[in-house]
Amino acid sequence: MLVMQQDGDSDRINIAIDGPAGAGKSTVARKVAEQLDYIYIDTGAMYRAVTLSAQRAAIVPQDREKLSALVKTLDIKLAPSESGQAVFLNGENVTNLIRSREVTLAVSHIAANETVRELLGKLQRQLAERKGVVMDGRDIGSHVLPNAELKIFLTASVQERALRRYKEVSDTQSISLEQLEQEIAERDRLDEQRELSPLICAKDAIVLDSTSMSIDEVAAAIVKLSRTKLAEAK
């Protein structure tokens, strides 16, 4: 697997943004990276790419051996694009395909596979070695980048997260707000209760509740915190 990289810089830090599904992590992380001129790494997109590949191969999450063998063969690349970040799976642009409802419902189950987490986690740590990375996911501050200089746990109420997702998908998917609330609550349960690297708030993370905040307000808060951290490190 290969993902974009940049030269190291002593005037950069790593920023880990964790939180439950629908909290706005990816959008916020992308804005923060743009404002700081950092590289944005969408770890969720990497797990979604594995999920899409497994579904295409008719491999169910419970078939650990086949899933473990599959992930070792995949070439996942992330590249900047006009809309944020493009995701390539074995050379195919799957940026839109990995956001389907089918992938969304299955990704937590695929992400619980030990080999999947091990391989993707190793790659994610390699990407952060040179600093200047904004990485979002479920276990970045607690497991993938435990030494990140700034850790954020971004959350929001289930109702607010469901409403945001509903506004995103209502034009393309036939689903009710109530059903989305149930699905998001179930994803929370799966992510929090899985044995490997569950969704938790790192002890040294700063909690931001975005329920009543705009994306720009959250991004501005994180950029301010990052600059404070960088000044402290000098």
Side-chain angles (χ1 to χ4, degrees), residues 6-178:
Q6 68 178 22
D7 294 332
D9 191 327
S10 59
D11 288 333
R12 295 173 180 267
I13 63 173
N14 285 333
I15 303 173
I17 303 179
D18 290 304
K25 300 184 301 297
S26 296
T27 304
V28 166
R30 186 162 50 245
K31 284 183 173 290
V32 170
E34 289 174 355
Q35 292 179 36
L36 294 174
D37 194 24
Y38 280 18
I39 282 184
Y40 166 52
I41 302 296
D42 182 355
T43 65
M46 298 165 74
Y47 285 104
R48 284 174 174 270
V50 174
T51 302
L52 176 64
S53 183
Q55 290 178 335
R56 286 176 167 180
I59 298 174
V60 297
Q62 294 78 10
D63 195 336
R64 296 186 177 184
E65 291 186 3
K66 287 186 178 181
L67 185 56
S68 297
L70 174 71
V71 70
K72 294 176 183 178
T73 70
L74 301 182
D75 177 29
I76 300 172
K77 295 181 181 179
L78 307 182
S81 71
E82 293 182 358
S83 59
Q85 189 172 80
V87 183
F88 293 86
L89 174 63
N90 295 335
E92 176 190 358
N93 188 331
V94 296
T95 306
N96 294 327
L97 295 176
I98 63 173
R99 299 297 171 183
S100 71
R101 186 159 173 266
E102 290 75 19
V103 169
T104 297
L105 291 175
V107 66
S108 291
H109 298 281
I110 297 294
N113 178 275
E114 183 176 3
T115 303
V116 172
R117 298 206 73 80
E118 178 184 350
L119 291 179
L120 294 189
K122 180 180 179 180
L123 178 59
Q124 291 155 10
R125 281 186 284 274
Q126 291 174 347
L127 293 169
E129 288 179 352
R130 295 172 180 265
K131 304 292 185 178
V133 160
V134 182
M135 190 177 294
D136 76 289
R138 301 288 194 281
D139 63 343
I140 308 305
S142 61
H143 181 70
V144 178
L145 301 180
N147 296 319
E149 290 84 353
L150 177 60
K151 300 178 185 179
I152 302 294
F153 190 85
L154 183 62
T155 188
S157 68
V158 171
Q159 293 76 19
E160 177 62 22
R161 287 185 279 139
L163 180 59
R164 292 173 183 172
R165 186 61 56 84
Y166 180 77
K167 291 178 179 178
E168 291 177 357
V169 305
S170 59
D171 291 339
T172 58
Q173 300 179 21
S174 178
I175 186 172
S176 68
L177 179 59
E178 292 74 15

Side-chain angles (χ1 to χ4, degrees), residues 111-115 117 139 191 193-199:
N113 178 275
E114 183 176 3
T115 303
R117 298 206 73 80
D139 63 343
D191 290 338
Q193 296 182 7
R194 69 175 178 233
E195 293 183 10
L196 295 170
S197 305
L199 169 65

